[in-house]
Amino acid sequence: MVGLEVRDAVVRYGATTAVDHVSLQVTPGAVVALLGPSGSGKSTLLRAIAGLEPLVSGAVLWDGTDLARVKVHKRNFGMVFQDAQLFPTMTVGRNIAYGLGSLGRAAQRERVAEMLDLIGLPGFESRRVTELSGGQAQRIALARSLAPSPRLLLLDEPLSALDTGLRRRLADDLARILRATHTTAIHVTHDHQEAYTVADTVAVLQEGRLLQEADPDALRRTP
Ligand code: ADP
Ligand code: ADP
Protein backbone atom coordinates (compact mmCIF):
# COMPACT_ATOMS: atom_id res chain seq x y z
CA MET A 1 0.00 0.00 0.00
CA VAL A 2 1.51 3.37 -1.03
CA GLY A 3 0.69 6.46 1.03
CA LEU A 4 -0.80 6.37 4.49
CA GLU A 5 -2.50 3.39 6.04
CA VAL A 6 -4.09 3.46 9.48
CA ARG A 7 -4.71 -0.14 10.47
CA ASP A 8 -7.23 -0.93 13.21
CA ALA A 9 -5.95 1.88 15.46
CA VAL A 10 -7.04 2.22 19.09
CA VAL A 11 -6.18 5.18 21.36
CA ARG A 12 -7.38 5.43 24.96
CA TYR A 13 -7.27 8.06 27.68
CA GLY A 14 -7.89 6.09 30.86
CA ALA A 15 -11.37 4.60 30.50
CA THR A 16 -12.20 6.72 27.41
CA THR A 17 -11.64 5.07 24.04
CA ALA A 18 -10.98 8.14 21.89
CA VAL A 19 -10.16 6.16 18.71
CA ASP A 20 -11.95 2.84 18.45
CA HIS A 21 -10.54 0.37 15.86
CA VAL A 22 -10.23 2.86 13.01
CA SER A 23 -8.81 1.84 9.63
CA LEU A 24 -8.19 4.47 6.97
CA GLN A 25 -6.15 4.85 3.80
CA VAL A 26 -4.91 8.01 2.12
CA THR A 27 -3.38 7.53 -1.32
CA PRO A 28 -0.74 9.98 -2.59
CA GLY A 29 -2.28 13.26 -3.74
CA ALA A 30 -5.62 12.61 -2.03
CA VAL A 31 -7.25 14.94 0.50
CA VAL A 32 -9.32 13.19 3.18
CA ALA A 33 -11.55 15.07 5.62
CA LEU A 34 -12.18 13.69 9.09
CA LEU A 35 -15.66 14.97 9.90
CA GLY A 36 -17.50 14.59 13.19
CA PRO A 37 -18.85 16.44 16.22
CA SER A 38 -16.66 17.65 19.07
CA GLY A 39 -15.34 14.69 21.06
CA SER A 40 -15.66 12.16 18.20
CA GLY A 41 -11.92 11.48 18.17
CA LYS A 42 -10.80 13.52 15.14
CA SER A 43 -7.91 15.34 16.85
CA THR A 44 -6.77 12.24 18.65
CA LEU A 45 -6.64 10.25 15.41
CA LEU A 46 -4.71 13.06 13.71
CA ARG A 47 -2.27 13.27 16.62
CA ALA A 48 -1.81 9.49 16.55
CA ILE A 49 -0.96 9.68 12.83
CA ALA A 50 1.53 12.46 13.61
CA GLY A 51 3.12 10.26 16.28
CA LEU A 52 2.07 12.54 19.13
CA GLU A 53 -0.31 10.03 20.71
CA PRO A 54 0.59 6.36 21.35
CA LEU A 55 -1.58 3.57 19.97
CA VAL A 56 -2.94 0.91 22.33
CA SER A 57 -3.15 -1.43 19.34
CA GLY A 58 -3.09 -1.25 15.56
CA ALA A 59 -0.56 0.58 13.40
CA VAL A 60 0.12 3.63 11.26
CA LEU A 61 2.11 2.87 8.11
CA TRP A 62 3.63 4.99 5.34
CA ASP A 63 4.39 3.16 2.07
CA GLY A 64 4.04 -0.04 4.07
CA THR A 65 6.57 0.95 6.77
CA ASP A 66 5.34 0.95 10.37
CA LEU A 67 5.81 4.52 11.63
CA ALA A 68 6.21 3.32 15.23
CA ARG A 69 9.90 3.03 14.36
CA VAL A 70 10.15 6.49 12.72
CA LYS A 71 10.75 9.50 14.98
CA VAL A 72 8.18 12.31 14.77
CA HIS A 73 10.57 14.81 13.14
CA LYS A 74 11.76 12.20 10.62
CA ARG A 75 8.25 11.51 9.29
CA ASN A 76 8.25 14.57 7.04
CA PHE A 77 4.65 15.38 7.98
CA GLY A 78 3.44 18.99 8.20
CA MET A 79 0.83 20.24 10.68
CA VAL A 80 -1.52 23.23 10.78
CA PHE A 81 -3.57 24.02 13.88
CA GLN A 82 -6.64 26.11 14.74
CA ASP A 83 -4.43 29.02 15.82
CA ALA A 84 -1.58 29.78 13.44
CA GLN A 85 1.12 29.42 16.14
CA LEU A 86 3.56 31.58 14.17
CA PHE A 87 6.82 32.65 15.82
CA PRO A 88 5.87 36.15 16.99
CA THR A 89 9.37 37.64 17.03
CA MET A 90 10.19 36.55 13.48
CA THR A 91 9.06 38.18 10.25
CA VAL A 92 6.64 36.38 7.93
CA GLY A 93 9.57 35.40 5.70
CA ARG A 94 11.56 33.89 8.57
CA ASN A 95 8.48 31.96 9.69
CA ILE A 96 8.01 30.40 6.26
CA ALA A 97 11.75 29.65 5.91
CA TYR A 98 11.78 27.92 9.30
CA GLY A 99 11.76 24.36 7.90
CA LEU A 100 14.08 25.13 4.97
CA GLY A 101 17.41 24.84 6.79
CA SER A 102 18.74 22.35 4.24
CA LEU A 103 18.54 24.96 1.46
CA GLY A 104 20.98 27.80 0.79
CA ARG A 105 19.95 31.41 1.39
CA ALA A 106 19.00 32.19 -2.21
CA ALA A 107 16.97 28.99 -2.55
CA GLN A 108 15.22 29.75 0.76
CA ARG A 109 14.29 33.25 -0.42
CA GLU A 110 12.99 31.85 -3.69
CA ARG A 111 10.91 29.21 -1.94
CA VAL A 112 9.43 31.76 0.49
CA ALA A 113 8.42 34.04 -2.41
CA GLU A 114 6.89 31.08 -4.24
CA MET A 115 4.86 30.14 -1.13
CA LEU A 116 3.65 33.74 -0.64
CA ASP A 117 2.47 33.85 -4.27
CA LEU A 118 0.70 30.53 -3.80
CA ILE A 119 -1.28 31.74 -0.77
CA GLY A 120 -2.10 35.09 -2.32
CA LEU A 121 0.13 37.27 -0.11
CA PRO A 122 3.00 38.21 -2.43
CA GLY A 123 5.57 40.61 -0.99
CA PHE A 124 4.73 39.87 2.66
CA GLU A 125 8.30 38.69 3.51
CA SER A 126 9.22 41.49 5.90
CA ARG A 127 5.81 41.96 7.52
CA ARG A 128 5.58 41.49 11.26
CA VAL A 129 3.50 38.54 12.42
CA THR A 130 1.71 40.72 14.99
CA GLU A 131 0.29 42.93 12.20
CA LEU A 132 -1.44 40.06 10.37
CA SER A 133 -5.20 39.48 10.39
CA GLY A 134 -6.44 36.05 11.54
CA GLY A 135 -7.00 34.90 7.97
CA GLN A 136 -3.57 36.11 6.85
CA ALA A 137 -1.91 34.37 9.80
CA GLN A 138 -3.60 31.07 8.87
CA ARG A 139 -2.42 31.46 5.27
CA ILE A 140 1.15 32.03 6.51
CA ALA A 141 0.89 28.97 8.77
CA LEU A 142 -0.19 26.96 5.73
CA ALA A 143 2.73 28.34 3.70
CA ARG A 144 5.18 27.47 6.50
CA SER A 145 3.88 23.89 6.60
CA LEU A 146 3.93 23.46 2.82
CA ALA A 147 7.34 25.05 2.20
CA PRO A 148 9.40 21.91 2.98
CA SER A 149 7.07 19.81 0.73
CA PRO A 150 5.80 17.45 3.45
CA ARG A 151 4.74 14.02 2.22
CA LEU A 152 1.59 14.38 4.33
CA LEU A 153 -0.09 17.54 5.63
CA LEU A 154 -2.23 17.24 8.78
CA LEU A 155 -4.73 20.08 9.28
CA ASP A 156 -6.51 20.23 12.66
CA GLU A 157 -9.54 22.56 12.38
CA PRO A 158 -7.36 25.13 10.57
CA LEU A 159 -10.27 27.46 9.75
CA SER A 160 -12.41 27.07 12.88
CA ALA A 161 -11.23 30.25 14.59
CA LEU A 162 -12.27 32.41 11.60
CA ASP A 163 -15.69 33.95 10.97
CA THR A 164 -18.05 32.18 8.56
CA GLY A 165 -17.53 34.27 5.41
CA LEU A 166 -13.76 34.13 5.67
CA ARG A 167 -13.91 30.42 6.47
CA ARG A 168 -15.78 29.71 3.23
CA ARG A 169 -13.32 31.74 1.16
CA LEU A 170 -10.29 30.15 2.78
CA ALA A 171 -11.76 26.66 2.33
CA ASP A 172 -11.99 27.34 -1.43
CA ASP A 173 -8.40 28.65 -1.44
CA LEU A 174 -7.15 25.71 0.61
CA ALA A 175 -8.76 23.23 -1.82
CA ARG A 176 -7.07 25.01 -4.73
CA ILE A 177 -3.66 25.16 -3.01
CA LEU A 178 -3.68 21.48 -2.00
CA ARG A 179 -4.54 20.47 -5.59
CA ALA A 180 -1.95 22.83 -7.15
CA THR A 181 0.81 21.42 -4.94
CA HIS A 182 -0.42 17.79 -5.23
CA THR A 183 -0.34 17.67 -1.44
CA THR A 184 -1.55 14.55 0.35
CA ALA A 185 -3.58 15.78 3.31
CA ILE A 186 -5.94 14.97 6.17
CA HIS A 187 -8.24 17.83 7.12
CA VAL A 188 -10.05 17.68 10.48
CA THR A 189 -13.28 19.68 10.77
CA HIS A 190 -16.72 19.62 12.38
CA ASP A 191 -18.09 21.73 9.47
CA HIS A 192 -19.81 19.62 6.76
CA GLN A 193 -19.58 22.35 4.12
CA GLU A 194 -15.86 22.78 4.75
CA ALA A 195 -15.24 19.03 4.49
CA TYR A 196 -17.12 18.84 1.18
CA THR A 197 -15.21 21.82 -0.22
CA VAL A 198 -11.73 20.65 0.72
CA ALA A 199 -11.75 16.85 0.46
CA ASP A 200 -11.98 14.13 -2.19
CA THR A 201 -13.12 11.69 0.48
CA VAL A 202 -14.96 12.41 3.71
CA ALA A 203 -14.51 9.99 6.63
CA VAL A 204 -17.21 10.44 9.25
CA LEU A 205 -16.27 9.76 12.89
CA GLN A 206 -18.65 9.25 15.79
CA GLU A 207 -17.63 8.29 19.30
CA GLY A 208 -14.21 7.20 18.07
CA ARG A 209 -15.53 4.93 15.34
CA LEU A 210 -15.39 5.43 11.58
CA LEU A 211 -19.06 5.44 10.51
CA GLN A 212 -18.64 5.81 6.76
CA GLU A 213 -16.33 7.01 4.03
CA ALA A 214 -17.83 8.66 0.98
CA ASP A 215 -17.14 11.25 -1.67
CA PRO A 216 -18.62 14.69 -1.00
CA ASP A 217 -21.25 14.44 -3.75
CA ALA A 218 -22.69 11.25 -2.28
CA LEU A 219 -22.82 12.81 1.21
CA ARG A 220 -24.47 16.01 -0.09
CA ARG A 221 -27.31 13.89 -1.52
CA THR A 222 -27.82 12.13 1.83
CA PRO A 223 -30.66 13.86 3.71
P1 ADP B 1 -10.93 19.69 20.30
O1 ADP B 1 -12.31 20.20 20.01
O2 ADP B 1 -9.95 19.97 19.19
O3 ADP B 1 -10.89 18.28 20.77
P2 ADP B 1 -10.73 20.49 23.03
O4 ADP B 1 -10.98 21.88 23.47
O5 ADP B 1 -11.72 19.40 23.25
O6 ADP B 1 -10.38 20.60 21.49
O7 ADP B 1 -9.37 19.97 23.60
C1 ADP B 1 -8.26 20.83 23.73
C2 ADP B 1 -7.12 20.07 24.37
O8 ADP B 1 -7.54 19.42 25.56
C3 ADP B 1 -6.58 18.94 23.46
O9 ADP B 1 -5.18 18.91 23.59
C4 ADP B 1 -7.20 17.66 23.99
O10 ADP B 1 -6.35 16.55 23.78
C5 ADP B 1 -7.35 17.99 25.49
N1 ADP B 1 -8.54 17.34 26.06
C6 ADP B 1 -9.74 17.18 25.48
N2 ADP B 1 -10.58 16.52 26.27
C7 ADP B 1 -9.88 16.28 27.42
C8 ADP B 1 -10.20 15.63 28.65
N3 ADP B 1 -11.39 15.07 28.86
N4 ADP B 1 -9.25 15.57 29.60
C9 ADP B 1 -8.05 16.10 29.37
N5 ADP B 1 -7.69 16.72 28.24
C10 ADP B 1 -8.59 16.80 27.28
P1 ADP C 1 -12.51 15.81 18.55
O1 ADP C 1 -11.19 16.20 17.96
O2 ADP C 1 -13.39 15.08 17.57
O3 ADP C 1 -13.23 16.94 19.19
P2 ADP C 1 -10.92 14.49 20.55
O4 ADP C 1 -10.00 13.59 19.79
O5 ADP C 1 -10.39 15.78 21.04
O6 ADP C 1 -12.24 14.72 19.67
O7 ADP C 1 -11.51 13.72 21.80
C1 ADP C 1 -12.00 12.38 21.72
C2 ADP C 1 -12.32 11.90 23.12
O8 ADP C 1 -11.11 11.78 23.87
C3 ADP C 1 -13.20 12.86 23.92
O9 ADP C 1 -14.02 12.06 24.75
C4 ADP C 1 -12.20 13.67 24.71
O10 ADP C 1 -12.78 14.18 25.89
C5 ADP C 1 -11.13 12.64 24.99
N1 ADP C 1 -9.78 13.24 25.12
C6 ADP C 1 -9.10 13.91 24.16
N2 ADP C 1 -7.90 14.29 24.59
C7 ADP C 1 -7.81 13.87 25.87
C8 ADP C 1 -6.80 13.94 26.86
N3 ADP C 1 -5.63 14.54 26.62
N4 ADP C 1 -7.06 13.38 28.06
C9 ADP C 1 -8.22 12.75 28.29
N5 ADP C 1 -9.21 12.63 27.41
C10 ADP C 1 -9.01 13.17 26.19
Side-chain angles (χ1 to χ4, degrees), residues 10-43:
V10 176
V11 180
R12 293 205 181 93
Y13 299 108
T16 304
T17 303
V19 174
D20 196 357
H21 295 282
V22 169
S23 295
L24 183 76
Q25 297 185 350
V26 187
T27 53
V31 180
V32 173
L34 292 179
L35 176 67
S38 182
S40 57
K42 307 182 296 296
S43 279

Coordinates of all heavy atoms in Angstrom, one line a residue, residues 10-43:
V10 N -6.3 2.0 17.8 CA -7.0 2.2 19.1 C -6.2 3.2 19.9 O -5.0 2.9 20.1 CB -7.3 0.9 19.9 CG1 -8.0 1.2 21.2 CG2 -8.2 -0.1 19.1
V11 N -6.8 4.3 20.4 CA -6.2 5.2 21.4 C -7.1 5.4 22.6 O -8.3 5.6 22.4 CB -5.9 6.6 20.7 CG1 -5.2 7.5 21.7 CG2 -5.1 6.4 19.5
R12 N -6.6 5.2 23.8 CA -7.4 5.4 25.0 C -6.8 6.5 25.9 O -5.6 6.7 25.9 CB -7.5 4.1 25.8 CG -8.2 3.0 25.1 CD -8.8 2.0 26.1 NE -9.5 1.0 25.3 CZ -8.9 -0.2 24.9 NH1 -7.7 -0.5 25.3 NH2 -9.6 -1.1 24.2
Y13 N -7.7 7.2 26.6 CA -7.3 8.1 27.7 C -8.0 7.5 28.9 O -9.2 7.7 29.1 CB -7.7 9.5 27.5 CG -7.2 10.2 26.3 CD1 -8.0 10.4 25.1 CD2 -5.8 10.6 26.2 CE1 -7.4 11.1 24.0 CE2 -5.3 11.2 25.1 CZ -6.1 11.4 24.0 OH -5.6 12.1 22.9
G14 N -7.2 6.7 29.7 CA -7.9 6.1 30.9 C -9.0 5.2 30.4 O -8.8 4.3 29.5
A15 N -10.2 5.4 30.9 CA -11.4 4.6 30.5 C -12.0 5.0 29.2 O -12.9 4.4 28.6 CB -12.4 4.6 31.6
T16 N -11.6 6.2 28.7 CA -12.2 6.7 27.4 C -11.5 6.2 26.2 O -10.3 6.3 26.1 CB -12.1 8.3 27.4 OG1 -12.7 8.8 28.5 CG2 -12.8 8.8 26.1
T17 N -12.2 5.5 25.3 CA -11.6 5.1 24.0 C -11.9 6.2 23.0 O -13.0 6.4 22.5 CB -12.3 3.7 23.6 OG1 -12.1 2.8 24.6 CG2 -11.6 3.3 22.3
A18 N -10.8 7.0 22.8 CA -11.0 8.1 21.9 C -11.0 7.7 20.4 O -11.7 8.4 19.6 CB -9.9 9.1 22.2
V19 N -10.2 6.7 20.1 CA -10.2 6.2 18.7 C -10.4 4.7 18.8 O -9.6 4.0 19.5 CB -8.8 6.5 18.0 CG1 -8.7 5.8 16.7 CG2 -8.6 8.0 17.9
D20 N -11.4 4.2 18.2 CA -11.9 2.8 18.5 C -11.9 2.0 17.2 O -12.8 1.9 16.4 CB -13.4 3.0 18.9 CG -13.9 1.7 19.6 OD1 -13.2 0.7 19.7 OD2 -15.1 1.8 20.1
H21 N -10.7 1.3 17.0 CA -10.5 0.4 15.9 C -10.8 1.1 14.5 O -11.7 0.6 13.8 CB -11.4 -0.9 16.0 CG -11.0 -1.7 17.2 ND1 -10.0 -2.6 17.2 CD2 -11.6 -1.7 18.5 CE1 -9.9 -3.1 18.4 NE2 -10.8 -2.6 19.2
V22 N -10.1 2.1 14.3 CA -10.2 2.9 13.0 C -9.2 2.4 12.0 O -8.0 2.3 12.3 CB -10.1 4.4 13.2 CG1 -10.0 5.1 11.9 CG2 -11.2 4.9 14.1
S23 N -9.7 2.1 10.8 CA -8.8 1.8 9.6 C -9.1 2.9 8.5 O -10.3 3.2 8.3 CB -9.1 0.4 9.1 OG -8.7 -0.5 10.1
L24 N -8.0 3.4 7.9 CA -8.2 4.5 7.0 C -7.0 4.5 6.0 O -5.9 4.1 6.4 CB -8.2 5.8 7.8 CG -8.4 7.1 7.1 CD1 -9.9 7.2 6.7 CD2 -8.0 8.3 8.0
Q25 N -7.3 4.8 4.8 CA -6.2 4.9 3.8 C -6.2 6.2 3.1 O -7.3 6.7 2.8 CB -6.3 3.7 2.8 CG -6.1 2.4 3.4 CD -6.1 1.2 2.4 OE1 -6.4 1.5 1.2 NE2 -5.8 0.0 2.8
V26 N -5.0 6.8 2.9 CA -4.9 8.0 2.1 C -3.9 7.8 1.0 O -2.7 7.6 1.3 CB -4.5 9.2 3.0 CG1 -4.6 10.5 2.2 CG2 -5.4 9.3 4.2
T27 N -4.3 7.8 -0.2 CA -3.4 7.5 -1.3 C -2.7 8.8 -1.7 O -3.2 9.9 -1.4 CB -4.1 7.0 -2.5 OG1 -5.2 7.8 -2.8 CG2 -4.6 5.6 -2.3
P28 N -1.5 8.8 -2.3 CA -0.7 10.0 -2.6 C -1.6 11.0 -3.4 O -2.2 10.6 -4.4 CB 0.5 9.4 -3.4 CG 0.7 8.1 -2.8 CD -0.7 7.5 -2.6
G29 N -1.6 12.2 -3.0 CA -2.3 13.3 -3.7 C -3.7 13.4 -3.3 O -4.4 14.4 -3.6
A30 N -4.2 12.5 -2.5 CA -5.6 12.6 -2.0 C -5.8 13.5 -0.8 O -4.8 13.7 0.0 CB -6.2 11.2 -1.7
V31 N -6.9 14.1 -0.7 CA -7.3 14.9 0.5 C -8.5 14.3 1.2 O -9.5 14.1 0.6 CB -7.6 16.4 0.1 CG1 -7.9 17.2 1.4 CG2 -6.4 17.0 -0.6
V32 N -8.3 13.9 2.4 CA -9.3 13.2 3.2 C -9.8 14.1 4.3 O -8.9 14.7 5.0 CB -8.8 11.8 3.8 CG1 -9.9 11.2 4.7 CG2 -8.5 10.9 2.6
A33 N -11.1 14.3 4.5 CA -11.6 15.1 5.6 C -12.0 14.1 6.7 O -12.6 13.1 6.4 CB -12.7 15.9 5.2
L34 N -11.6 14.4 7.9 CA -12.2 13.7 9.1 C -13.3 14.6 9.7 O -13.0 15.7 10.2 CB -11.1 13.4 10.2 CG -10.0 12.5 9.8 CD1 -9.0 12.4 11.0 CD2 -10.5 11.1 9.5
L35 N -14.5 14.2 9.5 CA -15.7 15.0 9.9 C -16.4 14.3 11.1 O -16.6 13.1 11.1 CB -16.6 15.1 8.7 CG -17.9 15.8 8.9 CD1 -17.7 17.3 9.1 CD2 -18.8 15.6 7.6
G36 N -16.7 15.1 12.1 CA -17.5 14.6 13.2 C -17.7 15.7 14.2 O -17.0 16.7 14.2
P37 N -18.6 15.4 15.2 CA -18.9 16.4 16.2 C -17.7 16.5 17.2 O -16.8 15.6 17.2 CB -20.1 15.9 16.9 CG -20.2 14.5 16.6 CD -19.5 14.3 15.3
S38 N -17.7 17.5 18.0 CA -16.7 17.6 19.1 C -16.6 16.4 19.9 O -17.7 15.9 20.3 CB -17.0 18.9 19.9 OG -16.0 19.1 20.9
G39 N -15.5 15.9 20.2 CA -15.3 14.7 21.1 C -15.4 13.4 20.3 O -15.3 12.3 20.9
S40 N -15.5 13.4 19.0 CA -15.7 12.2 18.2 C -14.3 11.5 17.9 O -14.3 10.4 17.3 CB -16.4 12.4 16.9 OG -15.8 13.4 16.1
G41 N -13.2 12.1 18.3 CA -11.9 11.5 18.2 C -11.1 12.0 17.0 O -10.0 11.4 16.8
K42 N -11.5 13.0 16.3 CA -10.8 13.5 15.1 C -9.4 13.9 15.5 O -8.4 13.5 14.8 CB -11.5 14.7 14.5 CG -13.0 14.5 14.2 CD -13.7 15.7 13.6 CE -13.7 16.9 14.4 NZ -14.5 16.8 15.7
S43 N -9.2 14.8 16.5 CA -7.9 15.3 16.8 C -7.0 14.2 17.3 O -5.8 14.2 17.0 CB -8.0 16.4 18.0 OG -8.4 17.6 17.5

